[in-house]
């Protein structure tokens, strides 16, 4: 599986961005796709994830501000980020994993999100 992420950039505090991640290759139907982020000097952390059935999970720090969604027909996952804060600044990585096979997973190349005035 290959993942192509896009949509990062520079935005002012309070602004919005939408990230997209398109998956291609041998995609297993039962999967979880998600977004992780890594800020300088910090560990990579889960931001949000969504199963192929539509169940979602969010980090407490983004609940109410970020929304994850997916289009299974396009094998694409989206992350709508609203009310962005400087602490959201990080490299955001898209992730795919096969629910039934832990060795079947992939990471996207990362996209920079910078929240600054």
């Amino acid at each position: 599986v290959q993942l192509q992420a896009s949509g990062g950039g520079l935005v002012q505090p309070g602004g919005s961005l939408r990230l997209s991640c398109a998956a291609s290759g041998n995609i297993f139907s039962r999967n979880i796709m998600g977004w992780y982020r890594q800020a300088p000097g910090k560990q990579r952390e889960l931001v949000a994830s969504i199963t192929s059935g539509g169940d979602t999970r969010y980090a407490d720090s983004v609940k109410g501000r970020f929304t994850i969604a997916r289009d299974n027909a396009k094998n694409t996952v989206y992350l709508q980020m609203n009310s962005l804060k400087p602490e959201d600044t990080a490299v955001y990585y898209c992730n795919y994993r096969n629910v039934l096979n832990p060795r079947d997973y992939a990471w996207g190349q990362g996209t920079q999100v910078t929240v600054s005035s």
Side-chain angles (χ1 to χ4, degrees):
V1 174
Q2 296 78 42
L3 303 175
Q4 181 66 45
S6 61
L10 172 64
V11 64
Q12 292 186 340
S16 298
L17 281 175
R18 189 175 84 150
L19 306 182
S20 300
C21 177
S24 60
N26 190 18
I27 300 166
F28 187 64
S29 58
R30 290 184 62 191
N31 64 72
I32 299 175
M33 294 189 72
W35 290 94
Y36 290 70
R37 66 187 180 188
Q38 187 166 18
K42 295 187 176 181
Q43 289 189 329
R44 190 173 296 188
E45 62 174 359
L46 174 69
V47 176
S49 65
I50 184 167
T51 70
S52 46
D55 294 327
T56 59
R57 176 183 175 190
Y58 295 93
D60 288 343
S61 59
V62 307
K63 284 181 181 177
R65 300 188 297 122
F66 291 11
T67 302
I68 191 168
R70 65 189 290 165
D71 184 334
N72 287 333
K74 296 181 179 179
N75 292 318
T76 300
V77 63
Y78 306 95
L79 185 68
Q80 178 66 44
M81 304 184 293
N82 298 329
S83 302
L84 282 160
K85 304 175 181 180
E87 51 264 43
D88 295 317
T89 295
V91 178
Y92 284 68
Y93 296 91
C94 179
N95 174 263
Y96 155 92
R97 59 187 176 97
N98 180 328
V99 172
L100 299 182
N101 182 0
R103 291 177 294 181
D104 181 13
Y105 67 95
W107 289 98
Q109 81 278 19
T111 184
Q112 177 70 46
V113 171
T114 302
V115 184
S116 175
S117 54

